[in-house]
Amino acid sequence: MTIQNSIDQIRQRIDTACHKAGRDPATVHLLAVSKKKPLNAIEEAAAAGQKLFGENYVQEFVGKSDDSRLDIDWHFIGGLQSNKVKYLRGKVAMIHSVDRLSLAKEIDRQWGGCESPVAILIQVNIGDEPTKAGVTASELEPLVRQLALLQNLRICGLMAIPPQSDNPEESRHWFREMRKLADSIETLNLQNVSMTELSMGMSDDFEVAIEEGATLIRIGTAIFGARDDA
Ligand SMILES: *Cc1c(COP(=O)(O)O)cnc(C)c1O
């Protein structure tokens, strides 16, 4: 199947899931996760109307974005070391994987002097898995309060990768927990903080994520096919 066909199919599935959940499809944004895929695959997706792309690895991202002349927005969604933030400066519209103050401070420092602050999401380790990045639910509020003081970033919501499962229904309660966490942060009414975005749902479980309130779904395999890492 071509990338164009895959994207068309996913858009239909998004519409169906939104209809089922009583949501406006315009409130769900598709992020095409292009890690380990070449620029020509990204170009093909862009030709099919895809605007948002997600990358995981700094070096790979910089190479592709420097080579690309496409009018697209990049989101950084992978694990991020503070010493690499400088390579992302001014090139990404959103960073999904902020989970500690030291990293946020470096993002704040790098975006100083940029025209506009960078949008960030806080990654939550919603299943409390020892091997996964992200703050735990109880660490979330204290971190948000600290990050809210940084002037060159805007906290726009939360991101999560729930525990791996073969059955998308098993992800539902994790997505629901994420929504509750976002709601509880929203009620704090902090400056620089709005829980507008919930980045959750991937190739295997995005419909359930949409039913539970996702606004950004991150899809790789279902658009570009399997990766070497899969
Ligand atoms: C790779 C990746 C995805 C996409 O996963 P697929 O199962 O290929 O859709 C989404 N989010 C993150 C953080 C990823 O690293």
Side-chain angles (χ1 to χ4, degrees):
M1 192 161 42
T2 66
I3 288 173
Q4 159 111 52
N5 287 339
S6 302
I7 290 177
D8 289 347
Q9 275 193 4
I10 288 166
R11 291 197 183 285
Q12 276 175 19
R13 287 169 63 187
I14 292 171
D15 285 354
T16 305
C18 283
H19 186 73
K20 190 174 161 191
R23 295 185 58 190
D24 177 356
T27 63
V28 178
H29 298 281
L30 172 60
L31 185 70
V33 176
S34 45
K35 64 182 174 209
K36 300 193 176 175
K37 296 294 173 183
L39 186 56
N40 65 4
I42 294 171
E43 287 165 348
E44 207 178 322
Q50 181 59 31
K51 282 276 176 231
L52 301 179
F53 291 83
E55 288 280 342
N56 290 62
Y57 308 104
V58 172
Q59 209 180 346
E60 180 187 336
F61 160 67
V62 171
K64 288 187 211 170
S65 72
D66 285 355
D67 289 347
S68 150
R69 293 170 171 263
L70 300 166
D71 180 23
I72 57 177
D73 281 337
W74 300 97
H75 288 196
F76 193 82
I77 64 171
L80 185 54
Q81 292 170 282
S82 294
N83 62 1
K84 300 216 170 140
V85 172
K86 58 178 178 280
Y87 302 114
L88 302 182
R89 178 181 190 271
K91 294 186 175 172
V92 294
M94 190 181 282
I95 301 174
H96 290 223
S97 46
V98 179
D99 63 356
R100 57 197 188 277
L101 180 60
S102 57
L103 174 61
K105 278 187 169 164
E106 178 58 13
I107 294 171
D108 183 57
R109 200 170 77 86
Q110 290 296 340
W111 257 263
C114 283
E115 247 169 57
S116 46
V118 62
I120 65 148
L121 305 179
I122 299 185
Q123 184 170 354
V124 181
N125 184 354
I126 192 68
D128 219 345
E129 297 172 278
T131 56
K132 267 196 190 142
V135 291
T136 61
S138 60
E139 291 162 343
L140 178 62
E141 183 182 327
L143 184 68
V144 170
R145 287 185 181 279
Q146 287 175 304
L147 269 50
L149 304 173
L150 303 173
Q151 291 305 310
N152 301 311
L153 49 87
R154 294 286 177 271
I155 303 168
C156 296
L158 307 179
M159 181 272 241
I161 309 168
Q164 168 65 35
S165 163
D166 293 336
N167 177 2
E169 277 302 323
E170 284 177 19
S171 300
R172 187 180 295 279
H173 71 285
W174 300 119
F175 294 142
R176 207 167 274 178
E177 285 302 308
M178 288 295 295
R179 174 76 178 273
K180 282 190 201 153
L181 282 175
D183 288 348
S184 76
I185 297 295
E186 191 71 55
T187 61
L188 302 174
N189 263 317
L190 299 169
Q191 200 144 42
N192 290 336
V193 180
S194 70
M195 291 287 114
T196 320
E197 306 294 344
L198 265 180
S199 168
M200 57 189 196
M202 316 204 309
S203 291
D204 293 331
D205 58 11
F206 69 88
E207 281 125 328
V208 176
I210 288 170
E211 287 168 29
E212 299 302 331
T215 65
L216 272 167
I217 55 172
R218 309 180 309 266
I219 304 210
T221 314
I223 293 175
F224 298 109
R227 294 175 298 269
D228 304 345
D229 69 351

